[in-house]
Amino acid sequence: MSTTLPAAGATHYAPNAELTRTAHVSGPEAYAALVAEAEADYEGYWARLAREFVAWKTPLTKTLDTSEAPFFKWFEDGTLNVSYNCLDRQVEAGSGDKTAIIFEADGGEVTTVTYSQLLERVCRASNVLRSLGVSKGDRVVIYMSMSIDGVVAMQACARIGATHSVVFGGFSAQSLRDRIADTGAVLVLTADQQVRGGKSLPLKAIVDEALALGGCDSVRQVVVTRRTGADIAMVPGRDLWMQELAGSQPSACEPEWVPAEHPLFLLYTSGSTGKPKGVQHSSGGYLLHAALTTKWTFDLKPDDVFWCTADIGWVTGHTYIAYGPLAIGATQVVFEGIPIFPDAGRFWQMIERHQVTIFYTAPTAIRSLIKASDGISASHPREFDLSSLRILGSVGEPINPAAWEWYHEQVGGGRCPIVDTWWQTETGGHMITPLPGATALVPGSCTLPFPGIMAAIVDETGEDVPNGQSGILVIKKPWPSMIRNVWHDEERYRSSYYPPELRGYYLAGDGAGRDAQTGYFTIGGRIDDVLNVSGHRMGTMEIESALVSCTDHVAEAAVVGRPDETSGEAVCAFVVLKGPRPEGEEAKRLAAVLRNWVGKEIGPIAKPKDIRFGDNLPKTRSGKIMRRLLRSIARGEEITQDISTLENPAVIEQLTRTN
Ligand code: WT7
């Protein structure tokens, strides 16, 4: 494992004077003081912030309980309600008429809601859920697209203490079924359809298909929000319309006060083995970090217009759309569509239209928009007035310095700092990131830990690695918004995140290094069998399982990642068929069949870019698939591995051919 650190003497961008003066964390000394405070009294630091950022019903007296490590408890005796913190609190503080969400639909129509209006919608939806018998601790699966209704659905669950699990609208019926079954959800919230890139796509029909696959007996009701008004099938007694039910519900709803450790949500994410894991998050600690990082990392002020382009189906959309911005009373843009519809100028046009001041997106989007605006193009950012912008953010995968520079110059006009935020589904919020008024930037580096986060680089035995060398990224102390468990699988939680050789440190699964002089972190990518395709996390084993479940055709399959200019990594599958190895047109036809199969099993995001057929797969004498060799073949590298033990060396040549 090696991480390429930015070259010595790489360009530094110092925070501008205005930000250093006015930012919430103003200047390197302010950052250093917070770091020192956390080091001197770790629990005292977090307790102080928990009292400042969260409105507690019952004040906390305990901060951190490590007695059942690695199962940690934060603010255990405090009680709160997350939706109260996000909505009622703003209304009570006199911000009821402030815009909470500016929603722009795929087709460009704009709808806004104030904090008072959002509170009322959430209360009505909460009352609907309660009237259907949903109560504290029940699980609710949400399969909706980017919409105010999606945020309302999440907040309504939080209000009544139900634990939500949002499933990304791009996942297939099979993936949705697996998640519904694993959570034991009592209810599914969905919409008739979603609209993306000018097309109406099914949601409710996929819920029907998922439930028909079986194993979802826990589901009593499906509540459908009308989006497009399409004519869809409703199962009498099971399926209900949200708008019809909500209209007759009271506009107020007493929140359910829950202990800080109460599970706010489960979110499924891929690991190196087995099915996706249900990452379980808390209420109190999670909300604290969501609010705190939204405020400090983006230096968010009352007049800002914040826009995070992530989908609510991913953790970024949870923390930086559904919870963080609302918890600090911000105004934010929520966008239904995609960056390239009607053309690649959509993001820039929306920034201009809504006077966005803080823009948070993924490197994969930036790279594809660079491509789209190459040369003289009407979709180039320079064609738009982006002068409202003051801070830019990046998330989901390493941002290469060239893309960083383009983003900085072409989008940010050279004046907006870029916060390159490293974190994960499991960490709940930002872990390593610049703070705009405090941190000098180096393109390609996520710089330094958020104050109070004890990030470090160690070797396989947990020993610290000196700056200038690469190793394994760990977090040495528990933090408030950390994963609490893998849903009903304590063993998997332990083995995935707290392997015994790492001395009680949290294992992030990424390789990283720190700069010899500055101590800045650079993330190298996953060190396990997890791929990052366009910022989407996928396990190679999941895709292999999907391929071999195509029993009509596939005998054996191995999946590896290879670097890709636009998507960061691409999925490359090596397949042995039951029948003879296909060539030419037949190989192309079968590759298409398998791609669609994977799309149906997992979702379109998991479709392999390359599919290669061989008579068999290269294996060691003991029968293990030679994955390193496959990785070299996928990258088109010269083969340096010893292949003298291969029974059939001809497969190497077969496997270099893409279809
Ligand atoms: C993995 C986590 C963070 C929310 C969205 C993804 C990679 C994430 C960065 C970054 C380099 C990054 C890591 C991490 N990653 N942010 N700024 N620089 N790599 O959450 O799906 O849980 O994926 O994304 O590999 O482990 P996720």
Side-chain angles (χ1 to χ4, degrees), residues 105-124:
D106 187 68
E109 311 81 28
V110 175
T111 318
T112 63
V113 283
T114 64
Y115 273 93
S116 298
Q117 291 166 336
L118 189 61
L119 172 61
E120 182 181 328
R121 279 172 73 162
V122 169
C123 285
R124 287 182 191 276

Side-chain angles (χ1 to χ4, degrees), residues 5-21:
L5 297 174
T11 327
H12 279 57
Y13 293 85
N16 68 49
E18 165 77 3
L19 269 169
T20 308
R21 199 166 51 75

Side-chain angles (χ1 to χ4, degrees), residues 19 36 49 56 63 78 84 95 97 109 175 190 252 257 273 288 312 315 320 342 433 435 449 485 526 530 588 650:
L19 269 169
L49 293 171
W56 299 89
T63 302
Y84 173 86
S95 300
D97 291 336
E109 311 81 28
S175 294
T190 189
W257 306 103
T273 55
L288 163 60
I312 51 166
V315 73
Y320 301 106
T433 177
L435 300 182
N485 199 358
R526 303 288 306 191
V530 171
K588 282 199 173 49

Side-chain angles (χ1 to χ4, degrees), residues 269 314-316 360 394-399 420-427 432 446 508-510 523-526 532 535-537:
T269 193
W314 309 112
V315 73
T316 310
Y360 191 33
S394 172
V395 59
E397 49 180 320
I399 176 162
D420 177 359
T421 59
W422 177 85
W423 59 296
Q424 309 175 292
T425 304
E426 293 88 339
T427 70
I432 308 179
C446 53
D510 280 321
I523 309 296
R526 303 288 306 191
N532 190 328
H536 298 149
R537 197 164 141 182

Side-chain angles (χ1 to χ4, degrees), residues 159-463:
R159 194 163 190 90
I160 65 163
T163 301
H164 62 67
S165 186
V166 183
V167 178
F168 174 58
F171 276 122
S172 67
Q174 182 66 47
S175 294
L176 176 60
R177 186 223 79 102
D178 291 349
R179 286 156 175 80
I180 294 171
D182 196 65
T183 58
V186 297
L187 189 134
V188 177
L189 290 169
T190 189
D192 50 1
Q193 291 185 314
Q194 57 180 329
V195 186
R196 286 168 71 81
K199 291 194 212 95
S200 295
L201 304 162
L203 282 172
K204 168 63 165 60
I206 296 174
V207 173
D208 291 342
E209 216 186 298
L211 296 178
L213 287 167
C216 302
D217 298 341
S218 55
V219 175
R220 299 191 300 253
Q221 241 92 48
V222 176
V223 181
V224 189
T225 297
R226 198 173 272 111
R227 162 64 183 90
T228 61
D231 187 16
I232 57 162
M234 296 290 274
V235 177
R238 188 195 73 184
D239 301 350
L240 300 160
W241 289 104
M242 180 57 114
Q243 280 95 339
E244 280 171 20
L245 299 174
S248 55
Q249 287 294 332
S251 59
C253 171
E254 175 66 12
E256 181 82 36
W257 306 103
V258 299
E261 282 298 316
H262 182 72
L264 176 64
F265 67 87
L266 309 175
L267 185 58
Y268 285 78
T269 193
S270 297
S272 34
T273 55
K275 294 247 179 216
K277 359 179 212 201
V279 172
Q280 178 184 326
H281 276 290
S282 69
S283 297
Y286 171 80
L287 182 71
L288 163 60
H289 207 56
L292 176 67
T293 52
T294 306
K295 185 161 174 176
W296 288 3
T297 305
F298 299 113
D299 186 41
L300 213 149
K301 304 274 172 52
D303 291 337
D304 275 311
V305 177
F306 177 71
W307 181 18
C308 166
T309 68
D311 193 285
I312 51 166
W314 309 112
V315 73
T316 310
H318 282 57
T319 307
Y320 301 106
I321 295 176
Y323 294 113
L326 299 177
I328 61 167
T331 295
Q332 68 174 320
V333 173
V334 169
F335 175 43
E336 179 177 43
I338 58 171
I340 52 164
F341 179 82
D343 58 48
R346 185 67 182 265
F347 276 2
W348 324 132
Q349 186 206 25
M350 281 181 63
I351 290 170
E352 179 180 300
R353 183 177 192 187
H354 303 297
Q355 293 291 291
V356 172
T357 59
I358 306 170
F359 180 64
Y360 191 33
T361 195
T364 186
I366 297 166
R367 285 192 303 267
S368 69
L369 295 175
I370 293 175
K371 245 188 177 170
S373 69
D374 243 359
I376 303 162
S377 153
S379 55
H380 195 282
R382 83 167 79 84
E383 301 300 319
F384 301 83
D385 177 7
L386 305 183
S387 60
S388 59
L389 286 172
R390 61 182 203 94
I391 286 158
L392 301 173
S394 172
V395 59
E397 49 180 320
I399 176 162
N400 48 307
W404 194 104
E405 296 286 2
W406 185 90
Y407 193 27
H408 189 252
E409 205 42 52
Q410 305 299 331
V411 181
R415 64 178 194 283
C416 307
I418 298 176
V419 288
D420 177 359
T421 59
W422 177 85
W423 59 296
Q424 309 175 292
T425 304
E426 293 88 339
T427 70
H430 302 154
M431 299 296 279
I432 308 179
T433 177
L435 300 182
T439 319
L441 307 171
V442 174
S445 166
C446 53
T447 73
L448 295 170
F450 192 87
I453 299 299
M454 304 300 182
I457 313 283
V458 300
D459 66 17
E460 287 77 9
T461 68
E463 187 68 31

